[in-house]
Amino acid sequence: MNTNQIIIITAISVGAMLVSAVLYLLKRAKRRMPENFDLMEGHEFEYYCAELLKKCGFQDVEVTRGSGDYGIDVLAEKDGVTYAIQCKCYSAPVGVKAVQEAYAGRDYYDRMVGAVLTNQYFTQPAVEAARKLRILLWDRGYLESMAEEERSF
């Protein structure tokens, strides 16, 4: 083997290592990039939330059928507690109606806890209704923290 061949083989090897390193860094960066919740369509958001719940330790996670679901989009269980979850992908704060749907759906599905999970925040009347009806409110901050927790595994 002559010097030119050694230089070419070395250059190819270094190039391959650089490509591998760049691909690794891109994959790692993609894992850390937050999902753009605001651009998701309603059903896409429901399935995303269901997958996120699974990755965060919820079991028996099930997306309900689209119509006639009594306001509940996801059923799940964690640590022996059963949940009925209403998912809302909105462009404005979530109001009382979502809380009422979670309240009705919790009883319809005979679940211990009702919750509303959203990419936004809640209106003050929604917060007050949730407190009175004992519905959990999981806002954008909570959703982002769940997504970050899932990424850290």
Side-chain angles (χ1 to χ4, degrees), residues 1-38:
M1 206 181 309
N2 67 34
T3 307
N4 286 340
Q5 290 173 325
I6 293 172
I7 291 172
I8 291 171
I9 291 171
T10 304
I12 291 171
S13 296
V14 169
M17 287 189 311
L18 285 174
V19 168
S20 292
V22 168
L23 290 174
Y24 170 77
L25 291 172
L26 286 172
K27 183 178 179 184
R28 191 170 165 196
K30 185 177 179 182
R31 271 197 326 240
R32 294 180 189 267
M33 283 181 11
E35 290 76 6
N36 196 342
F37 309 119
D38 302 318

Side-chain angles (χ1 to χ4, degrees), residues 47-73:
Y47 281 95
Y48 172 78
C49 290
E51 287 302 312
L52 188 58
L53 290 165
K54 286 179 192 175
K55 291 175 181 176
C56 289
F58 283 79
Q59 302 161 335
D60 299 323
V61 179
E62 172 191 344
V63 177
T64 63
R65 64 184 193 272
S67 61
D69 61 11
Y70 294 87
I72 297 304
D73 300 308

Side-chain angles (χ1 to χ4, degrees), residues 58-139:
F58 283 79
Q59 302 161 335
D60 299 323
V61 179
E62 172 191 344
V63 177
T64 63
R65 64 184 193 272
S67 61
D69 61 11
Y70 294 87
I72 297 304
D73 300 308
V74 178
L75 299 171
E77 181 181 334
K78 186 172 186 178
D79 300 327
V81 177
T82 57
Y83 293 80
I85 303 162
Q86 168 68 280
C87 300
K88 292 293 184 188
C89 188
Y90 279 5
S91 58
V94 178
V96 171
K97 185 173 185 271
V99 174
Q100 293 169 331
E101 290 171 345
Y103 177 73
R106 174 187 66 193
D107 288 350
Y108 178 81
Y109 286 103
D110 196 27
R111 296 296 169 130
M112 301 162 117
V113 176
V116 182
L117 178 57
T118 183
N119 65 319
Q120 290 296 323
Y121 295 94
F122 295 93
T123 64
Q124 188 57 38
V127 171
E128 292 167 10
R131 187 176 304 124
K132 180 84 173 164
L133 299 173
R134 295 186 180 107
I135 297 297
L136 296 178
L137 298 182
W138 294 338
D139 64 13

